Amino acid sequence: MMLHIPQVLSKPAVAELRALIDAADWIDGNATSGSQSALAKRNEQLPEGSEAARLAGERVLDALARSPLFVTAALPQTVFPPLFNRYGGGQAFGTHIDNAVRQTRTGDLRIRSDLSATLFLSEPEDYDGGELLVEDTYGVHEVKLAAGDLILYPASSLHQVTPVTRGVRTASFFWIQSMVREDARRALLFQMDIAIQQLAGKVGAGAPELVSLTGTYHNLLRMWAEV
Ligand code: NI
């Protein structure tokens, strides 16, 4: 399941974050790639573990924790410390699948990447190209979102970033180990949760049928969750 989550960061929060990271030193993006994706990757990145990346990453994590849509869709067990990259001058990232297991540079955190996420930090009109193309069984999805918006997609997907031919595309990217490993199960739980919330608005949260449905949601989560 792919999901667009609008306004994870407000425009002022994006501006603050950009001021923080734009002033920092950036390095060649291949510092984080596997050997195969290094061949396809041309961009710049904030050094993992640098002060700017750590501070900016904490802001992103705080925003994620305050986003009910992110929490219900991702059912996060662990979110990898957010990283930051930027593309300009024709830079791109060719088609690839992200590594299954990610480990921080210091080795103190290791996760299975169930979900990949990109948080856009540039407005779409500020650059040409730079679309995130994600392939699934329904075809190729083209993603280019407003600054502050997030796209969540299965980490098992083939994806690429097309060349940025004008301006600069800055973003945060990271991976999530979900409590529910399988995408299809997570999608079912998400759809059920959203329907329950919508129904609660119509019949009131105390309706016996809704209590029963909510219980069923939790019993499915209990069956599938690894915590
Ligand atoms: Ni990727």
Side-chain angles (χ1 to χ4, degrees):
M1 182 181 75
M2 282 186 80
L3 185 70
H4 169 195
I5 304 179
Q7 293 170 357
V8 168
L9 286 178
S10 67
K11 298 298 183 191
V14 169
E16 278 182 30
L17 198 85
R18 283 294 303 272
L20 177 63
I21 62 176
D22 288 357
D25 291 328
W26 293 67
I27 57 170
D28 188 312
N30 282 321
T32 57
S33 311
S35 55
Q36 190 190 352
S37 64
L39 299 173
K41 184 179 187 182
R42 286 179 293 124
N43 65 9
E44 285 188 319
Q45 191 171 311
L46 270 191
E48 191 186 336
S50 67
E51 184 69 357
R54 195 180 60 73
L55 288 172
E58 280 174 9
R59 292 188 185 202
V60 173
L61 290 176
D62 286 347
L64 294 174
R66 288 193 306 268
S67 167
L69 198 53
F70 172 79
V71 173
T72 190
L75 297 170
Q77 142 79 274
T78 309
V79 181
F80 197 81
L83 301 170
F84 298 85
N85 63 15
R86 65 185 183 191
Y87 299 78
Q91 289 178 320
F93 198 159
T95 304
H96 66 280
I97 290 180
D98 293 341
N99 289 354
V101 176
R102 306 296 309 207
Q103 166 166 305
T104 50
R105 199 176 40 88
T106 51
D108 53 359
L109 178 70
R110 188 170 61 176
I111 69 160
R112 181 188 64 238
S113 56
D114 295 321
L115 288 157
S116 295
T118 298
L119 174 63
F120 287 76
L121 297 173
S122 298
E123 296 295 357
E125 58 271 23
D126 291 344
Y127 59 98
D128 290 336
E131 287 87 2
L132 171 67
L133 303 183
V134 182
E135 297 181 27
D136 69 14
T137 54
Y138 291 94
V140 178
H141 304 274
E142 188 177 303
V143 185
K144 187 170 183 174
L145 303 178
D149 286 16
L150 180 98
I151 188 79
L152 200 56
Y153 59 98
S156 54
S157 312
L158 274 171
H159 59 281
Q160 63 176 293
V161 176
T162 65
V164 173
T165 55
R166 177 188 63 88
V168 175
R169 173 200 196 268
T170 303
S172 176
F173 65 103
F174 49 92
W175 301 273
I176 299 116
Q177 179 168 329
S178 177
M179 290 188 287
V180 176
R181 174 181 192 157
E182 198 182 316
D183 186 61
R185 288 177 174 175
R186 208 183 314 110
L188 280 175
L189 287 167
F190 175 69
Q191 286 151 10
M192 191 173 180
D193 192 2
I194 295 297
I196 286 171
Q197 289 174 42
Q198 289 169 344
L199 205 53
K202 291 183 180 171
V203 303
E209 297 86 349
L210 205 53
V211 173
S212 172
L213 274 175
T214 304
T216 303
Y217 170 87
H218 282 284
N219 288 334
L220 282 172
L221 183 57
R222 201 183 329 275
M223 191 181 296
W224 293 336
E226 311 153 51
V227 294

